[in-house]
PDB file of all heavy atoms in Angstrom:
ATOM      1  N   LYS A   1      13.824 -11.509 -13.380  1.00 94.00           N
ATOM      2  CA  LYS A   1      13.075 -12.451 -12.589  1.00 94.00           C
ATOM      3  C   LYS A   1      11.664 -11.917 -12.250  1.00 94.00           C
ATOM      4  O   LYS A   1      10.734 -12.683 -12.218  1.00 94.00           O
ATOM      5  CB  LYS A   1      13.800 -12.770 -11.250  1.00 94.00           C
ATOM      6  CG  LYS A   1      15.119 -13.435 -11.449  1.00 94.00           C
ATOM      7  CD  LYS A   1      15.001 -14.760 -12.095  1.00 94.00           C
ATOM      8  CE  LYS A   1      16.321 -15.456 -12.165  1.00 94.00           C
ATOM      9  NZ  LYS A   1      16.276 -16.725 -12.818  1.00 94.00           N
ATOM     10  N   ALA A   2      11.534 -10.648 -12.070  1.00 93.00           N
ATOM     11  CA  ALA A   2      10.218 -10.068 -11.865  1.00 93.00           C
ATOM     12  C   ALA A   2       9.329 -10.214 -13.104  1.00 93.00           C
ATOM     13  O   ALA A   2       8.109 -10.523 -12.912  1.00 93.00           O
ATOM     14  CB  ALA A   2      10.308  -8.600 -11.431  1.00 93.00           C
ATOM     15  N   VAL A   3       9.907  -9.941 -14.259  1.00 94.00           N
ATOM     16  CA  VAL A   3       9.117 -10.095 -15.440  1.00 94.00           C
ATOM     17  C   VAL A   3       8.706 -11.559 -15.627  1.00 94.00           C
ATOM     18  O   VAL A   3       7.539 -11.904 -16.054  1.00 94.00           O
ATOM     19  CB  VAL A   3       9.927  -9.606 -16.702  1.00 94.00           C
ATOM     20  CG1 VAL A   3       9.283 -10.033 -17.991  1.00 94.00           C
ATOM     21  CG2 VAL A   3      10.131  -8.144 -16.596  1.00 94.00           C
ATOM     22  N   GLU A   4       9.556 -12.501 -15.345  1.00 95.00           N
ATOM     23  CA  GLU A   4       9.178 -13.923 -15.456  1.00 95.00           C
ATOM     24  C   GLU A   4       8.077 -14.250 -14.435  1.00 95.00           C
ATOM     25  O   GLU A   4       7.189 -15.019 -14.743  1.00 95.00           O
ATOM     26  CB  GLU A   4      10.401 -14.799 -15.109  1.00 95.00           C
ATOM     27  CG  GLU A   4      11.532 -14.811 -16.177  1.00 95.00           C
ATOM     28  CD  GLU A   4      12.686 -15.660 -15.802  1.00 95.00           C
ATOM     29  OE1 GLU A   4      12.604 -16.412 -14.751  1.00 95.00           O
ATOM     30  OE2 GLU A   4      13.686 -15.502 -16.458  1.00 95.00           O
ATOM     31  N   ALA A   5       8.218 -13.746 -13.231  1.00 95.00           N
ATOM     32  CA  ALA A   5       7.143 -13.995 -12.177  1.00 95.00           C
ATOM     33  C   ALA A   5       5.797 -13.406 -12.630  1.00 95.00           C
ATOM     34  O   ALA A   5       4.779 -14.044 -12.452  1.00 95.00           O
ATOM     35  CB  ALA A   5       7.592 -13.436 -10.841  1.00 95.00           C
ATOM     36  N   ILE A   6       5.804 -12.233 -13.214  1.00 94.00           N
ATOM     37  CA  ILE A   6       4.520 -11.602 -13.666  1.00 94.00           C
ATOM     38  C   ILE A   6       3.994 -12.424 -14.812  1.00 94.00           C
ATOM     39  O   ILE A   6       2.733 -12.549 -14.915  1.00 94.00           O
ATOM     40  CB  ILE A   6       4.790 -10.105 -14.037  1.00 94.00           C
ATOM     41  CG1 ILE A   6       5.086  -9.343 -12.778  1.00 94.00           C
ATOM     42  CG2 ILE A   6       3.533  -9.534 -14.756  1.00 94.00           C
ATOM     43  CD1 ILE A   6       5.594  -7.947 -13.031  1.00 94.00           C
ATOM     44  N   ALA A   7       4.801 -12.934 -15.687  1.00 95.00           N
ATOM     45  CA  ALA A   7       4.367 -13.717 -16.783  1.00 95.00           C
ATOM     46  C   ALA A   7       3.679 -15.018 -16.300  1.00 95.00           C
ATOM     47  O   ALA A   7       2.694 -15.476 -16.876  1.00 95.00           O
ATOM     48  CB  ALA A   7       5.482 -14.095 -17.737  1.00 95.00           C
ATOM     49  N   ARG A   8       4.154 -15.578 -15.156  1.00 95.00           N
ATOM     50  CA  ARG A   8       3.626 -16.801 -14.611  1.00 95.00           C
ATOM     51  C   ARG A   8       2.328 -16.528 -13.860  1.00 95.00           C
ATOM     52  O   ARG A   8       1.409 -17.336 -13.893  1.00 95.00           O
ATOM     53  CB  ARG A   8       4.656 -17.502 -13.728  1.00 95.00           C
ATOM     54  CG  ARG A   8       5.732 -18.167 -14.453  1.00 95.00           C
ATOM     55  CD  ARG A   8       6.586 -19.054 -13.504  1.00 95.00           C
ATOM     56  NE  ARG A   8       7.814 -19.383 -14.237  1.00 95.00           N
ATOM     57  CZ  ARG A   8       9.021 -19.036 -13.785  1.00 95.00           C
ATOM     58  NH1 ARG A   8       9.181 -18.376 -12.664  1.00 95.00           N
ATOM     59  NH2 ARG A   8      10.063 -19.441 -14.478  1.00 95.00           N
ATOM     60  N   GLN A   9       2.346 -15.420 -13.075  1.00 94.00           N
ATOM     61  CA  GLN A   9       1.185 -15.079 -12.226  1.00 94.00           C
ATOM     62  C   GLN A   9       0.824 -13.644 -12.394  1.00 94.00           C
ATOM     63  O   GLN A   9       1.208 -12.797 -11.617  1.00 94.00           O
ATOM     64  CB  GLN A   9       1.522 -15.396 -10.779  1.00 94.00           C
ATOM     65  CG  GLN A   9       1.669 -16.810 -10.402  1.00 94.00           C
ATOM     66  CD  GLN A   9       1.928 -17.030  -8.968  1.00 94.00           C
ATOM     67  OE1 GLN A   9       2.401 -16.118  -8.291  1.00 94.00           O
ATOM     68  NE2 GLN A   9       1.553 -18.260  -8.492  1.00 94.00           N
ATOM     69  N   PRO A  10       0.064 -13.282 -13.454  1.00 93.00           N
ATOM     70  CA  PRO A  10      -0.296 -11.897 -13.673  1.00 93.00           C
ATOM     71  C   PRO A  10      -1.086 -11.281 -12.519  1.00 93.00           C
ATOM     72  O   PRO A  10      -1.062 -10.059 -12.369  1.00 93.00           O
ATOM     73  CB  PRO A  10      -1.118 -11.916 -14.943  1.00 93.00           C
ATOM     74  CG  PRO A  10      -0.832 -13.246 -15.569  1.00 93.00           C
ATOM     75  CD  PRO A  10      -0.422 -14.170 -14.492  1.00 93.00           C
ATOM     76  N   GLU A  11      -1.855 -12.116 -11.806  1.00 95.00           N
ATOM     77  CA  GLU A  11      -2.675 -11.541 -10.750  1.00 95.00           C
ATOM     78  C   GLU A  11      -1.830 -11.051  -9.549  1.00 95.00           C
ATOM     79  O   GLU A  11      -2.312 -10.263  -8.708  1.00 95.00           O
ATOM     80  CB  GLU A  11      -3.704 -12.590 -10.260  1.00 95.00           C
ATOM     81  CG  GLU A  11      -3.068 -13.793  -9.558  1.00 95.00           C
ATOM     82  CD  GLU A  11      -2.628 -14.896 -10.486  1.00 95.00           C
ATOM     83  OE1 GLU A  11      -2.769 -14.723 -11.716  1.00 95.00           O
ATOM     84  OE2 GLU A  11      -2.066 -15.885  -9.980  1.00 95.00           O
ATOM     85  N   ALA A  12      -0.572 -11.417  -9.442  1.00 94.00           N
ATOM     86  CA  ALA A  12       0.319 -10.986  -8.370  1.00 94.00           C
ATOM     87  C   ALA A  12       1.213  -9.837  -8.790  1.00 94.00           C
ATOM     88  O   ALA A  12       2.232  -9.543  -8.144  1.00 94.00           O
ATOM     89  CB  ALA A  12       1.152 -12.149  -7.886  1.00 94.00           C
ATOM     90  N   GLU A  13       0.836  -9.159  -9.857  1.00 93.00           N
ATOM     91  CA  GLU A  13       1.713  -8.121 -10.434  1.00 93.00           C
ATOM     92  C   GLU A  13       2.022  -6.993  -9.418  1.00 93.00           C
ATOM     93  O   GLU A  13       3.183  -6.547  -9.261  1.00 93.00           O
ATOM     94  CB  GLU A  13       1.112  -7.564 -11.683  1.00 93.00           C
ATOM     95  CG  GLU A  13       1.997  -6.409 -12.332  1.00 93.00           C
ATOM     96  CD  GLU A  13       1.376  -5.854 -13.564  1.00 93.00           C
ATOM     97  OE1 GLU A  13       0.266  -6.208 -13.873  1.00 93.00           O
ATOM     98  OE2 GLU A  13       2.026  -4.981 -14.140  1.00 93.00           O
ATOM     99  N   SER A  14       1.000  -6.557  -8.702  1.00 93.00           N
ATOM    100  CA  SER A  14       1.217  -5.407  -7.796  1.00 93.00           C
ATOM    101  C   SER A  14       2.153  -5.763  -6.674  1.00 93.00           C
ATOM    102  O   SER A  14       3.032  -4.927  -6.265  1.00 93.00           O
ATOM    103  CB  SER A  14      -0.121  -4.883  -7.241  1.00 93.00           C
ATOM    104  OG  SER A  14      -0.721  -5.917  -6.455  1.00 93.00           O
ATOM    105  N   LYS A  15       2.047  -6.970  -6.104  1.00 93.00           N
ATOM    106  CA  LYS A  15       2.966  -7.426  -5.036  1.00 93.00           C
ATOM    107  C   LYS A  15       4.375  -7.505  -5.543  1.00 93.00           C
ATOM    108  O   LYS A  15       5.363  -7.135  -4.928  1.00 93.00           O
ATOM    109  CB  LYS A  15       2.537  -8.739  -4.504  1.00 93.00           C
ATOM    110  CG  LYS A  15       1.818  -8.714  -3.223  1.00 93.00           C
ATOM    111  CD  LYS A  15       1.588 -10.124  -2.774  1.00 93.00           C
ATOM    112  CE  LYS A  15       0.868 -10.151  -1.416  1.00 93.00           C
ATOM    113  NZ  LYS A  15       0.601 -11.503  -0.979  1.00 93.00           N
ATOM    114  N   ILE A  16       4.493  -8.115  -6.762  1.00 93.00           N
ATOM    115  CA  ILE A  16       5.847  -8.307  -7.396  1.00 93.00           C
ATOM    116  C   ILE A  16       6.485  -6.925  -7.637  1.00 93.00           C
ATOM    117  O   ILE A  16       7.690  -6.770  -7.371  1.00 93.00           O
ATOM    118  CB  ILE A  16       5.742  -9.197  -8.614  1.00 93.00           C
ATOM    119  CG1 ILE A  16       5.274 -10.602  -8.216  1.00 93.00           C
ATOM    120  CG2 ILE A  16       7.076  -9.212  -9.329  1.00 93.00           C
ATOM    121  CD1 ILE A  16       4.907 -11.417  -9.435  1.00 93.00           C
ATOM    122  N   MET A  17       5.751  -6.021  -8.199  1.00 93.00           N
ATOM    123  CA  MET A  17       6.327  -4.694  -8.538  1.00 93.00           C
ATOM    124  C   MET A  17       6.715  -3.902  -7.314  1.00 93.00           C
ATOM    125  O   MET A  17       7.761  -3.205  -7.376  1.00 93.00           O
ATOM    126  CB  MET A  17       5.272  -3.927  -9.391  1.00 93.00           C
ATOM    127  CG  MET A  17       5.054  -4.443 -10.736  1.00 93.00           C
ATOM    128  SD  MET A  17       6.576  -4.523 -11.719  1.00 93.00           S
ATOM    129  CE  MET A  17       6.920  -2.770 -11.938  1.00 93.00           C
ATOM    130  N   LYS A  18       5.937  -4.037  -6.233  1.00 93.00           N
ATOM    131  CA  LYS A  18       6.344  -3.332  -4.999  1.00 93.00           C
ATOM    132  C   LYS A  18       7.706  -3.814  -4.540  1.00 93.00           C
ATOM    133  O   LYS A  18       8.616  -3.042  -4.187  1.00 93.00           O
ATOM    134  CB  LYS A  18       5.285  -3.534  -3.932  1.00 93.00           C
ATOM    135  CG  LYS A  18       4.135  -2.531  -3.974  1.00 93.00           C
ATOM    136  CD  LYS A  18       3.334  -2.552  -2.717  1.00 93.00           C
ATOM    137  CE  LYS A  18       2.333  -3.697  -2.788  1.00 93.00           C
ATOM    138  NZ  LYS A  18       1.396  -3.718  -1.697  1.00 93.00           N
ATOM    139  N   ASN A  19       7.855  -5.135  -4.469  1.00 92.00           N
ATOM    140  CA  ASN A  19       9.117  -5.748  -4.033  1.00 92.00           C
ATOM    141  C   ASN A  19      10.263  -5.423  -5.009  1.00 92.00           C
ATOM    142  O   ASN A  19      11.418  -5.196  -4.533  1.00 92.00           O
ATOM    143  CB  ASN A  19       8.975  -7.229  -3.837  1.00 92.00           C
ATOM    144  CG  ASN A  19       8.110  -7.568  -2.659  1.00 92.00           C
ATOM    145  OD1 ASN A  19       8.096  -6.877  -1.662  1.00 92.00           O
ATOM    146  ND2 ASN A  19       7.435  -8.679  -2.724  1.00 92.00           N
ATOM    147  N   LEU A  20       9.941  -5.435  -6.283  1.00 92.00           N
ATOM    148  CA  LEU A  20      10.980  -5.065  -7.257  1.00 92.00           C
ATOM    149  C   LEU A  20      11.466  -3.630  -7.094  1.00 92.00           C
ATOM    150  O   LEU A  20      12.665  -3.388  -7.112  1.00 92.00           O
ATOM    151  CB  LEU A  20      10.433  -5.282  -8.724  1.00 92.00           C
ATOM    152  CG  LEU A  20      11.385  -4.869  -9.787  1.00 92.00           C
ATOM    153  CD1 LEU A  20      12.581  -5.702  -9.804  1.00 92.00           C
ATOM    154  CD2 LEU A  20      10.640  -4.846 -11.150  1.00 92.00           C
ATOM    155  N   VAL A  21      10.540  -2.718  -6.968  1.00 93.00           N
ATOM    156  CA  VAL A  21      10.934  -1.307  -6.804  1.00 93.00           C
ATOM    157  C   VAL A  21      11.735  -1.122  -5.547  1.00 93.00           C
ATOM    158  O   VAL A  21      12.814  -0.411  -5.508  1.00 93.00           O
ATOM    159  CB  VAL A  21       9.680  -0.433  -6.828  1.00 93.00           C
ATOM    160  CG1 VAL A  21      10.041   1.004  -6.476  1.00 93.00           C
ATOM    161  CG2 VAL A  21       9.070  -0.415  -8.231  1.00 93.00           C
ATOM    162  N   LEU A  22      11.335  -1.758  -4.439  1.00 92.00           N
ATOM    163  CA  LEU A  22      12.117  -1.649  -3.182  1.00 92.00           C
ATOM    164  C   LEU A  22      13.525  -2.196  -3.367  1.00 92.00           C
ATOM    165  O   LEU A  22      14.506  -1.571  -2.935  1.00 92.00           O
ATOM    166  CB  LEU A  22      11.371  -2.343  -2.073  1.00 92.00           C
ATOM    167  CG  LEU A  22      12.043  -2.290  -0.712  1.00 92.00           C
ATOM    168  CD1 LEU A  22      12.155  -0.867  -0.203  1.00 92.00           C
ATOM    169  CD2 LEU A  22      11.285  -3.187   0.264  1.00 92.00           C
ATOM    170  N   GLY A  23      13.587  -3.384  -3.953  1.00 89.00           N
ATOM    171  CA  GLY A  23      14.921  -3.985  -4.149  1.00 89.00           C
ATOM    172  C   GLY A  23      15.798  -3.152  -5.048  1.00 89.00           C
ATOM    173  O   GLY A  23      17.023  -3.015  -4.822  1.00 89.00           O
ATOM    174  N   CYS A  24      15.251  -2.608  -6.116  1.00 90.00           N
ATOM    175  CA  CYS A  24      16.014  -1.804  -7.088  1.00 90.00           C
ATOM    176  C   CYS A  24      16.499  -0.491  -6.364  1.00 90.00           C
ATOM    177  O   CYS A  24      17.597  -0.062  -6.667  1.00 90.00           O
ATOM    178  CB  CYS A  24      15.208  -1.464  -8.308  1.00 90.00           C
ATOM    179  SG  CYS A  24      15.018  -2.893  -9.421  1.00 90.00           S
ATOM    180  N   ALA A  25      15.663   0.079  -5.561  1.00 91.00           N
ATOM    181  CA  ALA A  25      16.053   1.286  -4.832  1.00 91.00           C
ATOM    182  C   ALA A  25      17.223   0.964  -3.894  1.00 91.00           C
ATOM    183  O   ALA A  25      18.143   1.790  -3.794  1.00 91.00           O
ATOM    184  CB  ALA A  25      14.861   1.786  -4.067  1.00 91.00           C
ATOM    185  N   LEU A  26      17.177  -0.125  -3.201  1.00 89.00           N
ATOM    186  CA  LEU A  26      18.284  -0.473  -2.304  1.00 89.00           C
ATOM    187  C   LEU A  26      19.577  -0.778  -3.112  1.00 89.00           C
ATOM    188  O   LEU A  26      20.687  -0.311  -2.690  1.00 89.00           O
ATOM    189  CB  LEU A  26      17.934  -1.646  -1.472  1.00 89.00           C
ATOM    190  CG  LEU A  26      16.862  -1.448  -0.424  1.00 89.00           C
ATOM    191  CD1 LEU A  26      16.454  -2.728   0.259  1.00 89.00           C
ATOM    192  CD2 LEU A  26      17.291  -0.424   0.574  1.00 89.00           C
ATOM    193  N   ALA A  27      19.470  -1.422  -4.231  1.00 87.00           N
ATOM    194  CA  ALA A  27      20.649  -1.686  -5.067  1.00 87.00           C
ATOM    195  C   ALA A  27      21.190  -0.415  -5.643  1.00 87.00           C
ATOM    196  O   ALA A  27      22.413  -0.265  -5.758  1.00 87.00           O
ATOM    197  CB  ALA A  27      20.313  -2.679  -6.106  1.00 87.00           C
ATOM    198  N   GLU A  28      20.343   0.492  -6.031  1.00 88.00           N
ATOM    199  CA  GLU A  28      20.799   1.769  -6.620  1.00 88.00           C
ATOM    200  C   GLU A  28      21.449   2.620  -5.538  1.00 88.00           C
ATOM    201  O   GLU A  28      22.448   3.307  -5.810  1.00 88.00           O
ATOM    202  CB  GLU A  28      19.595   2.505  -7.201  1.00 88.00           C
ATOM    203  CG  GLU A  28      19.985   3.607  -8.107  1.00 88.00           C
ATOM    204  CD  GLU A  28      20.775   3.233  -9.322  1.00 88.00           C
ATOM    205  OE1 GLU A  28      20.529   2.169  -9.872  1.00 88.00           O
ATOM    206  OE2 GLU A  28      21.621   4.031  -9.730  1.00 88.00           O
ATOM    207  N   ALA A  29      20.986   2.551  -4.291  1.00 90.00           N
ATOM    208  CA  ALA A  29      21.629   3.287  -3.221  1.00 90.00           C
ATOM    209  C   ALA A  29      23.059   2.749  -3.026  1.00 90.00           C
ATOM    210  O   ALA A  29      23.958   3.530  -2.773  1.00 90.00           O
ATOM    211  CB  ALA A  29      20.750   3.154  -1.943  1.00 90.00           C
ATOM    212  N   THR A  30      23.187   1.467  -3.107  1.00 88.00           N
ATOM    213  CA  THR A  30      24.542   0.890  -2.967  1.00 88.00           C
ATOM    214  C   THR A  30      25.419   1.377  -4.079  1.00 88.00           C
ATOM    215  O   THR A  30      26.621   1.668  -3.835  1.00 88.00           O
ATOM    216  CB  THR A  30      24.425  -0.672  -3.010  1.00 88.00           C
ATOM    217  OG1 THR A  30      23.540  -1.127  -1.986  1.00 88.00           O
ATOM    218  CG2 THR A  30      25.758  -1.328  -2.844  1.00 88.00           C
ATOM    219  N   ALA A  31      24.921   1.404  -5.288  1.00 87.00           N
ATOM    220  CA  ALA A  31      25.730   1.943  -6.465  1.00 87.00           C
ATOM    221  C   ALA A  31      26.118   3.365  -6.190  1.00 87.00           C
ATOM    222  O   ALA A  31      27.275   3.757  -6.459  1.00 87.00           O
ATOM    223  CB  ALA A  31      24.952   1.792  -7.690  1.00 87.00           C
ATOM    224  N   ILE A  32      25.199   4.168  -5.646  1.00 90.00           N
ATOM    225  CA  ILE A  32      25.566   5.582  -5.428  1.00 90.00           C
ATOM    226  C   ILE A  32      26.616   5.719  -4.305  1.00 90.00           C
ATOM    227  O   ILE A  32      27.532   6.475  -4.421  1.00 90.00           O
ATOM    228  CB  ILE A  32      24.292   6.350  -5.038  1.00 90.00           C
ATOM    229  CG1 ILE A  32      23.397   6.513  -6.295  1.00 90.00           C
ATOM    230  CG2 ILE A  32      24.642   7.803  -4.501  1.00 90.00           C
ATOM    231  CD1 ILE A  32      22.013   7.039  -5.985  1.00 90.00           C
ATOM    232  N   TYR A  33      26.523   4.887  -3.241  1.00 90.00           N
ATOM    233  CA  TYR A  33      27.535   4.856  -2.211  1.00 90.00           C
ATOM    234  C   TYR A  33      28.886   4.480  -2.759  1.00 90.00           C
ATOM    235  O   TYR A  33      29.924   5.126  -2.410  1.00 90.00           O
ATOM    236  CB  TYR A  33      27.127   3.955  -1.060  1.00 90.00           C
ATOM    237  CG  TYR A  33      25.912   4.329  -0.342  1.00 90.00           C
ATOM    238  CD1 TYR A  33      25.092   3.391   0.263  1.00 90.00           C
ATOM    239  CD2 TYR A  33      25.597   5.686  -0.098  1.00 90.00           C
ATOM    240  CE1 TYR A  33      23.951   3.721   0.928  1.00 90.00           C
ATOM    241  CE2 TYR A  33      24.475   6.033   0.601  1.00 90.00           C
ATOM    242  CZ  TYR A  33      23.670   5.026   1.135  1.00 90.00           C
ATOM    243  OH  TYR A  33      22.603   5.399   1.848  1.00 90.00           O
ATOM    244  N   CYS A  34      28.964   3.479  -3.661  1.00 87.00           N
ATOM    245  CA  CYS A  34      30.223   3.124  -4.260  1.00 87.00           C
ATOM    246  C   CYS A  34      30.752   4.232  -5.057  1.00 87.00           C
ATOM    247  O   CYS A  34      31.966   4.482  -5.058  1.00 87.00           O
ATOM    248  CB  CYS A  34      29.998   1.866  -5.115  1.00 87.00           C
ATOM    249  SG  CYS A  34      29.617   0.351  -4.164  1.00 87.00           S
ATOM    250  N   PHE A  35      29.925   4.913  -5.811  1.00 88.00           N
ATOM    251  CA  PHE A  35      30.384   6.031  -6.646  1.00 88.00           C
ATOM    252  C   PHE A  35      30.950   7.133  -5.808  1.00 88.00           C
ATOM    253  O   PHE A  35      32.010   7.736  -6.075  1.00 88.00           O
ATOM    254  CB  PHE A  35      29.258   6.516  -7.535  1.00 88.00           C
ATOM    255  CG  PHE A  35      29.628   7.644  -8.377  1.00 88.00           C
ATOM    256  CD1 PHE A  35      30.526   7.507  -9.453  1.00 88.00           C
ATOM    257  CD2 PHE A  35      29.133   8.948  -8.202  1.00 88.00           C
ATOM    258  CE1 PHE A  35      30.881   8.533 -10.288  1.00 88.00           C
ATOM    259  CE2 PHE A  35      29.486  10.006  -9.049  1.00 88.00           C
ATOM    260  CZ  PHE A  35      30.382   9.792 -10.060  1.00 88.00           C
ATOM    261  N   VAL A  36      30.253   7.492  -4.651  1.00 89.00           N
ATOM    262  CA  VAL A  36      30.718   8.520  -3.828  1.00 89.00           C
ATOM    263  C   VAL A  36      32.080   8.132  -3.139  1.00 89.00           C
ATOM    264  O   VAL A  36      32.935   8.992  -3.028  1.00 89.00           O
ATOM    265  CB  VAL A  36      29.688   8.855  -2.718  1.00 89.00           C
ATOM    266  CG1 VAL A  36      30.195   9.737  -1.630  1.00 89.00           C
ATOM    267  CG2 VAL A  36      28.447   9.484  -3.374  1.00 89.00           C
ATOM    268  N   ILE A  37      32.199   6.894  -2.762  1.00 88.00           N
ATOM    269  CA  ILE A  37      33.480   6.459  -2.147  1.00 88.00           C
ATOM    270  C   ILE A  37      34.600   6.553  -3.208  1.00 88.00           C
ATOM    271  O   ILE A  37      35.710   6.960  -2.878  1.00 88.00           O
ATOM    272  CB  ILE A  37      33.323   5.044  -1.626  1.00 88.00           C
ATOM    273  CG1 ILE A  37      32.463   5.031  -0.397  1.00 88.00           C
ATOM    274  CG2 ILE A  37      34.712   4.436  -1.368  1.00 88.00           C
ATOM    275  CD1 ILE A  37      32.061   3.672   0.098  1.00 88.00           C
ATOM    276  N   ALA A  38      34.304   6.238  -4.459  1.00 86.00           N
ATOM    277  CA  ALA A  38      35.323   6.330  -5.526  1.00 86.00           C
ATOM    278  C   ALA A  38      35.758   7.797  -5.645  1.00 86.00           C
ATOM    279  O   ALA A  38      36.911   8.117  -5.807  1.00 86.00           O
ATOM    280  CB  ALA A  38      34.780   5.815  -6.851  1.00 86.00           C
ATOM    281  N   LEU A  39      34.784   8.690  -5.619  1.00 87.00           N
ATOM    282  CA  LEU A  39      35.136  10.170  -5.755  1.00 87.00           C
ATOM    283  C   LEU A  39      35.930  10.633  -4.560  1.00 87.00           C
ATOM    284  O   LEU A  39      36.903  11.366  -4.745  1.00 87.00           O
ATOM    285  CB  LEU A  39      33.880  11.002  -5.923  1.00 87.00           C
ATOM    286  CG  LEU A  39      33.097  10.919  -7.239  1.00 87.00           C
ATOM    287  CD1 LEU A  39      31.850  11.701  -7.161  1.00 87.00           C
ATOM    288  CD2 LEU A  39      34.007  11.333  -8.398  1.00 87.00           C
TER     289      LEU A  39
END
């Protein structure tokens, strides 16, 4: 979705990337928590 948004509005790339990185970090933290719980 971020790639699609950047393709539509290239001038908003920095805003989109900031939100994408933040969201991916939160999702990755959730994945790590799930892995730790499994262990």
Side-chain angles (χ1 to χ4, degrees):
K1 297 296 182 180
V3 169
E4 288 177 14
I6 291 170
R8 287 190 193 118
Q9 291 183 336
E11 66 276 359
E13 179 181 4
S14 64
K15 259 187 178 178
I16 294 168
M17 288 303 291
K18 276 194 274 185
N19 288 329
L20 173 67
V21 169
L22 180 63
C24 286
L26 292 173
E28 193 64 33
T30 303
I32 291 170
Y33 294 148
C34 290
F35 180 69
V36 168
I37 289 171
L39 287 177

